[in-house]
Amino acid sequence: MTPSYAQPRRHLDLPPDTSAAGRARDATSRFLQSAGDQGQPVHPAAADAAVLIVTELVTNAVRHTDGPCTLDLVLHEGLLDIDVTDTSSAPPQIVRPHVHGGGGWGWILVRHIARDVDVKPTPTGGKRVHACIAVAG
């Protein structure tokens, strides 16, 4: 019989304010560090990429919606699934990036770094933005 390993998971409810991205970033770093401590090492560059993706998705959720958001992380088979759910049904839009710091880079970065990105509506009228990246160390 093959041993069954639980997939490490983390769920975080986030407020609709500027503290959300920092809280999500810290939770993601701790989650990935603890996965390594439990025998599922995460490559340091992949951990940095995961933190960047989480930060961008949560920042966008707070910036472009009126309600709270959630972060869900699942580590499986060397991959990290990142889900950010918010209260707006409007999908993320690619906008012309501002070269002097006005924004527009986040969604481009997420789509470039992640292995897979998709957006699905939620039953409550919001959306779930999903990104998956390879993280095996």
Side-chain angles (χ1 to χ4, degrees):
M1 177 180 210
T2 305
S4 168
Y5 298 100
Q7 297 173 337
R9 297 178 182 271
R10 176 73 164 101
H11 173 84
L12 187 61
D13 292 316
L14 296 162
D17 62 36
T18 57
S19 72
R23 290 175 61 189
R25 186 172 42 251
D26 292 345
T28 301
S29 292
R30 286 191 308 272
F31 174 78
L32 294 174
Q33 184 175 37
S34 70
D37 295 344
Q38 296 173 16
Q40 295 187 47
V42 173
H43 192 279
D48 290 344
V51 168
L52 175 63
I53 289 171
V54 164
T55 302
E56 292 297 337
L57 293 179
V58 170
T59 297
N60 286 345
V62 170
R63 182 178 288 166
H64 300 293
T65 70
D66 293 328
C69 62
T70 63
L71 169 66
D72 289 284
L73 305 169
V74 179
L75 188 62
H76 62 96
E77 300 168 1
L79 301 172
L80 176 66
D81 284 323
I82 301 165
D83 290 308
V84 175
T85 304
D86 65 43
T87 58
S88 172
S89 63
Q93 299 293 316
I94 294 177
V95 296
R96 184 180 189 102
H98 299 199
V99 295
H100 299 292
W105 294 102
W107 189 234
I108 292 169
L109 285 170
V110 168
R111 291 175 46 133
H112 181 74
I113 295 169
R115 175 183 189 156
D116 180 43
V117 178
D118 68 21
V119 181
K120 301 258 193 245
T122 64
T124 57
K127 69 179 167 301
R128 177 191 55 84
V129 180
H130 171 81
C132 179
I133 64 169
V135 294

Coordinates of all heavy atoms in Angstrom, one line a residue, residues 43-135:
H43 N 11.8 25.5 -3.6 CA 13.0 26.2 -4.1 C 12.8 27.7 -3.7 O 11.7 28.3 -3.9 CB 13.0 26.1 -5.7 CG 14.3 26.6 -6.2 ND1 14.5 27.9 -6.5 CD2 15.4 25.9 -6.6 CE1 15.8 28.0 -7.0 NE2 16.3 26.8 -7.1
P44 N 13.9 28.3 -3.2 CA 13.8 29.7 -2.8 C 13.3 30.7 -3.9 O 12.5 31.6 -3.6 CB 15.2 30.1 -2.4 CG 15.8 28.7 -2.0 CD 15.2 27.7 -3.0
A45 N 13.7 30.5 -5.1 CA 13.2 31.4 -6.2 C 11.7 31.2 -6.4 O 11.0 32.2 -6.7 CB 14.0 31.2 -7.5
A46 N 11.3 30.0 -6.3 CA 9.8 29.7 -6.5 C 9.0 30.3 -5.3 O 7.9 30.8 -5.5 CB 9.6 28.2 -6.5
A47 N 9.6 30.2 -4.1 CA 8.9 30.9 -3.0 C 8.8 32.4 -3.2 O 7.7 32.9 -2.9 CB 9.7 30.6 -1.7
D48 N 9.8 33.0 -3.7 CA 9.8 34.4 -4.0 C 8.7 34.7 -5.1 O 8.0 35.7 -4.9 CB 11.1 34.9 -4.5 CG 12.2 35.0 -3.4 OD1 11.8 34.9 -2.2 OD2 13.4 35.1 -3.8
A49 N 8.6 33.9 -6.1 CA 7.6 34.0 -7.1 C 6.2 33.9 -6.6 O 5.3 34.6 -6.9 CB 7.9 33.0 -8.3
A50 N 6.0 32.9 -5.7 CA 4.7 32.7 -5.1 C 4.3 33.9 -4.3 O 3.1 34.3 -4.3 CB 4.8 31.4 -4.2
V51 N 5.2 34.4 -3.5 CA 4.9 35.6 -2.7 C 4.6 36.8 -3.5 O 3.6 37.5 -3.2 CB 6.1 35.9 -1.7 CG1 5.9 37.3 -1.1 CG2 6.2 34.8 -0.6
L52 N 5.3 36.9 -4.6 CA 5.0 38.0 -5.6 C 3.6 37.9 -6.2 O 2.8 38.8 -6.2 CB 6.0 38.1 -6.7 CG 5.7 39.1 -7.8 CD1 5.7 40.5 -7.3 CD2 6.8 39.0 -8.9
I53 N 3.2 36.7 -6.6 CA 1.9 36.4 -7.2 C 0.8 36.7 -6.1 O -0.2 37.3 -6.4 CB 1.8 35.0 -7.7 CG1 2.7 34.9 -9.0 CG2 0.4 34.6 -8.0 CD1 2.8 33.5 -9.5
V54 N 1.0 36.2 -4.9 CA 0.0 36.4 -3.9 C -0.2 37.9 -3.6 O -1.3 38.4 -3.5 CB 0.4 35.6 -2.6 CG1 -0.4 36.1 -1.4 CG2 0.2 34.1 -2.8
T55 N 0.9 38.6 -3.5 CA 0.9 40.0 -3.2 C 0.1 40.7 -4.3 O -0.8 41.6 -4.1 CB 2.3 40.6 -3.1 OG1 3.0 39.9 -2.1 CG2 2.3 42.1 -2.8
E56 N 0.4 40.4 -5.6 CA -0.3 41.1 -6.7 C -1.8 40.8 -6.7 O -2.6 41.7 -6.9 CB 0.4 40.7 -8.0 CG 1.8 41.3 -8.2 CD 1.8 42.8 -8.2 OE1 0.8 43.4 -8.5 OE2 2.9 43.3 -7.9
L57 N -2.1 39.5 -6.6 CA -3.5 39.1 -6.6 C -4.3 39.7 -5.5 O -5.5 40.2 -5.7 CB -3.7 37.6 -6.6 CG -3.2 36.9 -7.9 CD1 -3.4 35.4 -7.8 CD2 -3.8 37.4 -9.2
V58 N -3.8 39.7 -4.3 CA -4.5 40.3 -3.1 C -4.6 41.8 -3.3 O -5.6 42.4 -3.0 CB -3.9 39.8 -1.8 CG1 -4.4 40.6 -0.6 CG2 -4.0 38.4 -1.6
T59 N -3.5 42.4 -3.7 CA -3.5 43.9 -3.9 C -4.6 44.3 -4.9 O -5.4 45.2 -4.7 CB -2.2 44.4 -4.4 OG1 -1.2 44.1 -3.4 CG2 -2.2 45.9 -4.7
N60 N -4.7 43.5 -6.0 CA -5.7 43.8 -7.0 C -7.1 43.6 -6.4 O -8.1 44.4 -6.7 CB -5.5 42.9 -8.3 CG -4.4 43.4 -9.1 OD1 -3.9 44.6 -8.9 ND2 -3.9 42.6 -10.0
A61 N -7.3 42.5 -5.6 CA -8.6 42.2 -5.0 C -9.0 43.4 -4.1 O -10.2 43.8 -4.2 CB -8.6 40.9 -4.3
V62 N -8.1 43.9 -3.4 CA -8.4 45.0 -2.4 C -8.7 46.3 -3.2 O -9.6 47.1 -3.0 CB -7.3 45.2 -1.4 CG1 -7.5 46.5 -0.6 CG2 -7.3 44.0 -0.5
R63 N -7.8 46.6 -4.2 CA -7.9 47.8 -5.0 C -9.1 47.9 -5.8 O -9.7 49.0 -6.0 CB -6.6 47.9 -5.8 CG -6.6 49.2 -6.6 CD -5.3 49.3 -7.4 NE -4.2 49.6 -6.5 CZ -2.9 49.5 -6.8 NH1 -2.6 49.1 -8.1 NH2 -2.0 49.7 -6.0
H64 N -9.5 46.8 -6.4 CA -10.6 46.8 -7.4 C -11.9 46.3 -7.0 O -12.8 46.1 -7.8 CB -10.1 46.1 -8.7 CG -8.9 46.7 -9.3 ND1 -8.9 48.0 -9.8 CD2 -7.6 46.2 -9.4 CE1 -7.6 48.2 -10.3 NE2 -6.9 47.2 -10.0
T65 N -12.1 46.0 -5.7 CA -13.4 45.5 -5.2 C -13.7 46.3 -3.9 O -12.9 46.9 -3.3 CB -13.4 44.0 -4.9 OG1 -12.5 43.7 -3.8 CG2 -12.9 43.2 -6.1
D66 N -14.9 46.1 -3.4 CA -15.4 46.8 -2.2 C -15.4 45.9 -1.0 O -15.6 46.4 0.1 CB -16.8 47.3 -2.4 CG -16.8 48.4 -3.5 OD1 -15.8 49.2 -3.6 OD2 -17.8 48.5 -4.2
G67 N -15.2 44.6 -1.2 CA -15.4 43.7 0.0 C -14.1 43.0 0.3 O -13.0 43.3 -0.2
P68 N -14.2 42.1 1.3 CA -13.1 41.3 1.7 C -12.6 40.3 0.6 O -13.3 40.1 -0.4 CB -13.6 40.6 3.0 CG -15.0 40.5 2.7 CD -15.4 41.7 1.9
C69 N -11.5 39.6 0.9 CA -11.1 38.6 -0.1 C -10.5 37.4 0.8 O -10.3 37.6 2.0 CB -10.1 39.1 -1.1 SG -8.5 39.7 -0.4
T70 N -10.3 36.3 0.1 CA -9.7 35.2 0.8 C -8.5 34.7 0.0 O -8.5 34.9 -1.2 CB -10.7 34.0 1.0 OG1 -11.1 33.5 -0.3 CG2 -11.9 34.4 1.8
L71 N -7.6 34.1 0.7 CA -6.4 33.4 0.1 C -6.5 32.0 0.5 O -6.6 31.6 1.6 CB -5.1 34.1 0.6 CG -3.8 33.4 0.2 CD1 -3.6 33.4 -1.3 CD2 -2.7 34.0 1.0
D72 N -6.3 31.1 -0.5 CA -6.2 29.7 -0.3 C -4.9 29.2 -1.0 O -4.7 29.5 -2.2 CB -7.4 28.9 -0.8 CG -8.6 29.2 0.1 OD1 -8.7 28.6 1.2 OD2 -9.5 30.0 -0.4
L73 N -4.1 28.4 -0.3 CA -2.9 27.8 -0.8 C -3.0 26.3 -0.6 O -3.4 25.8 0.4 CB -1.7 28.3 0.0 CG -1.5 29.9 0.0 CD1 -0.4 30.2 1.0 CD2 -1.2 30.4 -1.4
V74 N -2.6 25.6 -1.7 CA -2.5 24.1 -1.6 C -1.3 23.7 -2.3 O -1.0 24.0 -3.4 CB -3.8 23.4 -2.3 CG1 -3.6 21.9 -2.2 CG2 -5.1 23.9 -1.7
L75 N -0.5 22.9 -1.6 CA 0.8 22.4 -2.1 C 0.6 20.9 -2.5 O 0.1 20.1 -1.6 CB 1.9 22.5 -1.1 CG 3.3 22.2 -1.5 CD1 3.8 23.1 -2.6 CD2 4.2 22.4 -0.3
H76 N 0.9 20.5 -3.7 CA 0.7 19.1 -4.1 C 1.6 18.8 -5.3 O 1.8 19.7 -6.2 CB -0.7 18.9 -4.5 CG -1.2 19.7 -5.7 ND1 -1.2 19.3 -7.0 CD2 -1.7 21.0 -5.7 CE1 -1.6 20.2 -7.8 NE2 -1.9 21.3 -7.1
E77 N 2.3 17.7 -5.2 CA 3.1 17.2 -6.3 C 4.1 18.2 -6.9 O 4.3 18.4 -8.1 CB 2.2 16.7 -7.5 CG 1.3 15.6 -7.0 CD 0.2 15.2 -8.0 OE1 0.2 15.8 -9.1 OE2 -0.6 14.3 -7.7
G78 N 4.7 19.0 -6.0 CA 5.7 20.0 -6.4 C 5.1 21.3 -7.0 O 5.8 22.1 -7.5
L79 N 3.8 21.4 -6.9 CA 3.1 22.6 -7.4 C 2.4 23.3 -6.3 O 1.9 22.7 -5.3 CB 2.0 22.2 -8.4 CG 2.5 21.5 -9.7 CD1 1.3 21.0 -10.5 CD2 3.4 22.3 -10.5
L80 N 2.2 24.6 -6.4 CA 1.5 25.4 -5.5 C 0.3 26.0 -6.2 O 0.4 26.7 -7.2 CB 2.3 26.5 -4.9 CG 1.6 27.5 -3.9 CD1 1.1 26.8 -2.6 CD2 2.5 28.7 -3.6
D81 N -0.9 25.7 -5.7 CA -2.2 26.3 -6.2 C -2.4 27.5 -5.3 O -2.5 27.4 -4.1 CB -3.3 25.4 -6.1 CG -3.3 24.3 -7.2 OD1 -2.9 24.7 -8.3 OD2 -3.7 23.2 -7.0
I82 N -2.6 28.7 -5.9 CA -2.9 29.9 -5.2 C -4.3 30.4 -5.7 O -4.5 30.5 -6.9 CB -1.9 31.0 -5.6 CG1 -0.5 30.6 -5.2 CG2 -2.3 32.4 -5.0 CD1 0.6 31.4 -5.9
D83 N -5.2 30.6 -4.8 CA -6.6 31.0 -5.1 C -6.9 32.3 -4.3 O -6.8 32.3 -3.1 CB -7.6 30.0 -4.8 CG -7.6 28.8 -5.8 OD1 -7.5 29.0 -7.0 OD2 -7.5 27.7 -5.3
V84 N -7.2 33.3 -5.0 CA -7.7 34.6 -4.3 C -9.1 34.8 -4.8 O -9.4 34.9 -6.0 CB -6.8 35.8 -4.6 CG1 -7.4 37.1 -4.0 CG2 -5.4 35.5 -4.1
T85 N -10.0 34.8 -3.8 CA -11.5 35.0 -4.1 C -11.9 36.4 -3.6 O -11.5 36.8 -2.5 CB -12.3 33.9 -3.4 OG1 -11.8 32.6 -3.8 CG2 -13.8 34.0 -3.8
D86 N -12.6 37.1 -4.4 CA -13.1 38.4 -4.0 C -14.6 38.6 -4.3 O -15.2 37.7 -4.8 CB -12.2 39.5 -4.6 CG -12.3 39.7 -6.1 OD1 -13.4 39.6 -6.7 OD2 -11.2 39.8 -6.7
T87 N -15.1 39.8 -4.1 CA -16.5 40.0 -4.2 C -17.0 40.6 -5.5 O -18.2 40.8 -5.7 CB -17.0 41.0 -3.1 OG1 -16.3 42.2 -3.2 CG2 -16.8 40.4 -1.7
S88 N -16.1 40.9 -6.4 CA -16.4 41.4 -7.7 C -16.5 40.4 -8.8 O -15.6 39.5 -8.9 CB -15.4 42.5 -8.1 OG -15.6 42.9 -9.4
S89 N -17.5 40.5 -9.6 CA -17.6 39.5 -10.8 C -16.7 40.0 -12.0 O -16.5 39.2 -12.9 CB -19.0 39.4 -11.2 OG -19.5 40.7 -11.7
A90 N -16.2 41.2 -11.9 CA -15.4 41.7 -13.0 C -14.1 41.0 -13.1 O -13.3 41.0 -12.1 CB -15.2 43.2 -12.9
P91 N -13.7 40.4 -14.3 CA -12.4 39.8 -14.4 C -11.3 40.8 -14.4 O -11.5 41.9 -14.8 CB -12.5 39.0 -15.7 CG -13.5 39.8 -16.5 CD -14.5 40.4 -15.5
P92 N -10.1 40.3 -14.0 CA -8.9 41.2 -14.1 C -8.7 41.7 -15.6 O -9.0 40.9 -16.5 CB -7.7 40.4 -13.7 CG -8.4 39.2 -12.9 CD -9.7 39.0 -13.5
Q93 N -8.3 42.9 -15.8 CA -8.1 43.4 -17.1 C -6.6 43.8 -17.3 O -5.9 44.3 -16.3 CB -8.9 44.7 -17.3 CG -10.4 44.5 -17.1 CD -10.9 43.7 -18.3 OE1 -10.6 43.9 -19.4 NE2 -11.8 42.8 -17.9
I94 N -6.1 43.5 -18.4 CA -4.7 44.0 -18.8 C -4.9 45.5 -19.1 O -5.7 45.8 -20.0 CB -4.1 43.2 -19.9 CG1 -3.9 41.8 -19.5 CG2 -2.8 43.8 -20.4 CD1 -3.4 40.9 -20.6
V95 N -4.1 46.3 -18.4 CA -4.1 47.7 -18.7 C -2.7 48.1 -19.1 O -1.7 47.4 -18.8 CB -4.6 48.6 -17.5 CG1 -6.0 48.3 -17.2 CG2 -3.7 48.4 -16.3
R96 N -2.6 49.2 -19.8 CA -1.3 49.7 -20.2 C -0.5 50.0 -19.0 O -0.9 50.9 -18.2 CB -1.4 50.9 -21.1 CG -0.1 51.4 -21.7 CD -0.4 52.6 -22.6 NE 0.8 52.9 -23.2 CZ 1.1 52.7 -24.5 NH1 0.2 52.0 -25.2 NH2 2.2 53.0 -25.1
P97 N 0.7 49.4 -18.8 CA 1.5 49.7 -17.6 C 2.0 51.1 -17.6 O 2.3 51.7 -18.6 CB 2.7 48.7 -17.7 CG 2.3 47.7 -18.7 CD 1.3 48.3 -19.6
H98 N 2.1 51.6 -16.4 CA 2.6 53.0 -16.2 C 4.1 52.9 -15.8 O 4.4 52.2 -14.8 CB 1.9 53.7 -15.1 CG 0.4 53.9 -15.3 ND1 -0.3 54.8 -14.6 CD2 -0.4 53.2 -16.1 CE1 -1.6 54.7 -15.0 NE2 -1.7 53.8 -15.9
V99 N 4.9 53.4 -16.6 CA 6.4 53.2 -16.4 C 6.9 54.1 -15.3 O 8.0 53.9 -14.8 CB 7.2 53.5 -17.7 CG1 6.9 52.5 -18.8 CG2 6.9 55.0 -18.2
H100 N 6.1 55.0 -14.7 CA 6.5 55.9 -13.6 C 5.8 55.5 -12.3 O 5.6 56.4 -11.5 CB 6.3 57.3 -14.0 CG 7.1 57.8 -15.2 ND1 8.4 57.8 -15.2 CD2 6.7 58.1 -16.4 CE1 8.9 58.2 -16.4 NE2 7.8 58.4 -17.2
G101 N 5.4 54.2 -12.2 CA 4.9 53.8 -10.9 C 3.4 53.8 -10.7 O 2.9 53.7 -9.6
G102 N 2.6 54.1 -11.7 CA 1.2 54.2 -11.6 C 0.4 52.8 -11.6 O -0.8 52.8 -11.5
G103 N 1.1 51.7 -11.8 CA 0.5 50.4 -11.8 C 0.4 49.8 -13.2 O 1.0 50.3 -14.1
G104 N -0.4 48.8 -13.3 CA -0.6 48.1 -14.5 C 0.3 46.9 -14.8 O 0.2 46.2 -15.8
W105 N 1.3 46.6 -13.9 CA 2.2 45.5 -14.1 C 1.8 44.2 -13.4 O 2.2 43.1 -13.8 CB 3.6 45.9 -13.5 CG 4.2 47.0 -14.3 CD1 4.3 48.3 -13.9 CD2 4.8 46.9 -15.6 NE1 4.9 49.1 -14.9 CE2 5.3 48.2 -15.9 CE3 5.1 45.9 -16.4 CZ2 5.9 48.5 -17.1 CZ3 5.7 46.2 -17.6 CH2 6.1 47.5 -17.9
G106 N 0.9 44.3 -12.4 CA 0.6 43.1 -11.6 C 0.0 41.9 -12.4 O 0.5 40.8 -12.3
W107 N -1.0 42.2 -13.1 CA -1.7 41.1 -13.9 C -0.7 40.5 -14.9 O -0.7 39.3 -15.2 CB -3.0 41.6 -14.5 CG -3.8 40.5 -15.1 CD1 -4.4 40.5 -16.3 CD2 -4.3 39.3 -14.4 NE1 -5.1 39.4 -16.5 CE2 -5.1 38.6 -15.4 CE3 -4.1 38.7 -13.2 CZ2 -5.7 37.4 -15.1 CZ3 -4.8 37.5 -12.9 CH2 -5.5 36.9 -13.9
I108 N 0.1 41.4 -15.6 CA 1.1 41.0 -16.5 C 2.1 40.0 -15.9 O 2.4 39.0 -16.4 CB 1.8 42.2 -17.2 CG1 0.8 42.9 -18.1 CG2 3.0 41.7 -18.0 CD1 1.3 44.3 -18.5
L109 N 2.6 40.4 -14.7 CA 3.6 39.6 -14.0 C 3.0 38.3 -13.6 O 3.6 37.2 -13.8 CB 4.0 40.3 -12.7 CG 5.0 41.5 -12.9 CD1 5.2 42.2 -11.6 CD2 6.3 40.9 -13.4
V110 N 1.8 38.3 -13.0 CA 1.1 37.0 -12.6 C 1.0 36.1 -13.8 O 1.4 34.9 -13.7 CB -0.3 37.3 -12.0 CG1 -1.0 36.0 -11.8 CG2 -0.1 38.0 -10.7
R111 N 0.5 36.6 -14.9 CA 0.3 35.7 -16.1 C 1.7 35.2 -16.7 O 1.7 34.2 -17.3 CB -0.5 36.5 -17.2 CG -1.9 36.6 -16.7 CD -2.7 37.5 -17.6 NE -2.5 37.0 -19.0 CZ -3.4 36.8 -19.9 NH1 -4.6 37.0 -19.6 NH2 -3.1 36.4 -21.1
H112 N 2.7 36.0 -16.5 CA 4.0 35.6 -17.0 C 4.7 34.6 -16.1 O 5.4 33.7 -16.6 CB 4.9 36.9 -17.2 CG 6.3 36.6 -17.7 ND1 6.5 36.3 -19.0 CD2 7.5 36.5 -17.1 CE1 7.8 36.0 -19.2 NE2 8.4 36.2 -18.1
I113 N 4.6 34.8 -14.8 CA 5.3 33.9 -13.9 C 4.6 32.6 -13.7 O 5.2 31.5 -13.6 CB 5.5 34.6 -12.5 CG1 6.4 35.8 -12.7 CG2 6.1 33.7 -11.5 CD1 6.5 36.8 -11.5
A114 N 3.3 32.6 -13.6 CA 2.5 31.4 -13.2 C 2.5 30.4 -14.4 O 2.5 30.8 -15.5 CB 1.1 31.8 -12.8
R115 N 2.5 29.2 -14.0 CA 2.3 28.1 -15.0 C 1.0 28.0 -15.6 O 0.8 27.7 -16.8 CB 2.6 26.8 -14.2 CG 2.5 25.5 -15.0 CD 2.7 24.4 -14.0 NE 2.8 23.2 -14.8 CZ 3.4 22.1 -14.4 NH1 4.1 22.1 -13.3 NH2 3.4 21.0 -15.2
D116 N 0.0 28.4 -14.8 CA -1.4 28.4 -15.2 C -2.2 29.5 -14.5 O -1.9 29.7 -13.3 CB -2.0 27.0 -14.9 CG -3.5 26.9 -15.3 OD1 -3.8 27.3 -16.4 OD2 -4.3 26.4 -14.5
V117 N -3.0 30.2 -15.1 CA -3.8 31.2 -14.5 C -5.2 31.1 -15.1 O -5.4 31.0 -16.3 CB -3.3 32.7 -14.8 CG1 -4.2 33.7 -14.2 CG2 -1.9 32.8 -14.3
D118 N -6.3 31.2 -14.2 CA -7.6 31.3 -14.7 C -8.5 32.0 -13.8 O -8.1 32.2 -12.6 CB -8.2 29.9 -15.1 CG -8.5 29.0 -13.9 OD1 -8.6 29.5 -12.8 OD2 -8.6 27.8 -14.1
V119 N -9.6 32.4 -14.2 CA -10.6 33.2 -13.4 C -12.0 32.5 -13.6 O -12.4 32.3 -14.7 CB -10.7 34.7 -13.9 CG1 -11.6 35.5 -13.1 CG2 -9.3 35.3 -13.9
K120 N -12.6 32.3 -12.5 CA -13.9 31.6 -12.5 C -14.9 32.4 -11.6 O -14.5 32.9 -10.5 CB -13.8 30.2 -12.0 CG -12.9 29.3 -12.7 CD -13.6 28.4 -13.6 CE -12.7 27.3 -14.1 NZ -12.4 27.2 -15.4
P121 N -16.1 32.5 -12.0 CA -17.1 33.1 -11.1 C -17.4 32.3 -9.9 O -17.3 31.0 -9.9 CB -18.4 33.3 -12.0 CG -18.2 32.2 -13.1 CD -16.7 32.0 -13.2
T122 N -17.8 32.9 -8.8 CA -18.1 32.2 -7.6 C -19.7 32.1 -7.5 O -20.3 33.0 -8.1 CB -17.6 32.8 -6.3 OG1 -18.1 34.1 -6.2 CG2 -16.1 32.9 -6.4
P123 N -20.2 31.2 -6.7 CA -21.7 31.2 -6.6 C -22.3 32.4 -5.9 O -23.5 32.7 -6.0 CB -21.9 29.9 -5.7 CG -20.7 29.1 -5.8 CD -19.6 30.1 -6.1
T124 N -21.4 33.2 -5.2 CA -21.9 34.3 -4.5 C -21.8 35.6 -5.3 O -22.1 36.7 -4.8 CB -21.2 34.5 -3.2 OG1 -19.8 34.6 -3.4 CG2 -21.4 33.4 -2.2
G125 N -21.4 35.5 -6.6 CA -21.3 36.7 -7.4 C -20.0 37.3 -7.5 O -19.8 38.3 -8.2
G126 N -19.0 36.8 -6.9 CA -17.6 37.3 -7.0 C -16.8 36.4 -8.0 O -17.4 35.8 -8.9
K127 N -15.5 36.4 -7.8 CA -14.7 35.6 -8.7 C -13.5 35.0 -7.9 O -13.2 35.4 -6.8 CB -14.1 36.4 -9.8 CG -13.1 37.5 -9.4 CD -12.6 38.2 -10.6 CE -11.8 39.5 -10.2 NZ -12.6 40.4 -9.4
R128 N -13.0 33.9 -8.5 CA -11.8 33.2 -7.9 C -10.7 33.3 -9.0 O -10.9 32.9 -10.1 CB -12.1 31.8 -7.6 CG -10.9 31.0 -7.1 CD -11.1 29.5 -7.0 NE -11.5 28.9 -8.3 CZ -10.7 28.6 -9.3 NH1 -9.4 28.7 -9.1 NH2 -11.1 28.0 -10.3
V129 N -9.6 33.9 -8.6 CA -8.5 34.0 -9.5 C -7.5 32.9 -9.0 O -7.1 32.8 -7.9 CB -7.8 35.3 -9.5 CG1 -6.6 35.3 -10.4 CG2 -8.8 36.4 -9.9
H130 N -7.2 32.0 -10.0 CA -6.3 30.8 -9.6 C -5.0 30.9 -10.4 O -5.0 31.2 -11.6 CB -7.0 29.5 -10.1 CG -6.2 28.3 -10.0 ND1 -5.9 27.7 -8.8 CD2 -5.4 27.7 -10.9 CE1 -5.1 26.7 -9.0 NE2 -4.8 26.7 -10.3
A131 N -3.9 30.7 -9.7 CA -2.6 30.7 -10.3 C -1.9 29.4 -9.8 O -2.1 29.1 -8.6 CB -1.8 31.9 -10.0
C132 N -1.2 28.8 -10.6 CA -0.4 27.6 -10.2 C 1.0 27.8 -10.6 O 1.3 28.2 -11.8 CB -1.0 26.3 -10.9 SG -0.1 24.8 -10.5
I133 N 2.0 27.5 -9.7 CA 3.4 27.5 -10.0 C 4.1 26.3 -9.5 O 3.7 25.7 -8.5 CB 4.0 28.8 -9.5 CG1 4.0 28.9 -8.0 CG2 3.4 30.1 -10.1 CD1 4.9 30.0 -7.4
A134 N 5.2 26.0 -10.2 CA 6.0 24.9 -9.8 C 6.9 25.4 -8.7 O 7.5 26.5 -8.8 CB 6.9 24.3 -10.9
V135 N 7.0 24.7 -7.5 CA 7.8 25.1 -6.4 C 8.8 24.1 -5.8 O 9.5 24.4 -4.9 CB 6.9 25.6 -5.3 CG1 6.1 26.8 -5.7 CG2 6.0 24.5 -4.7

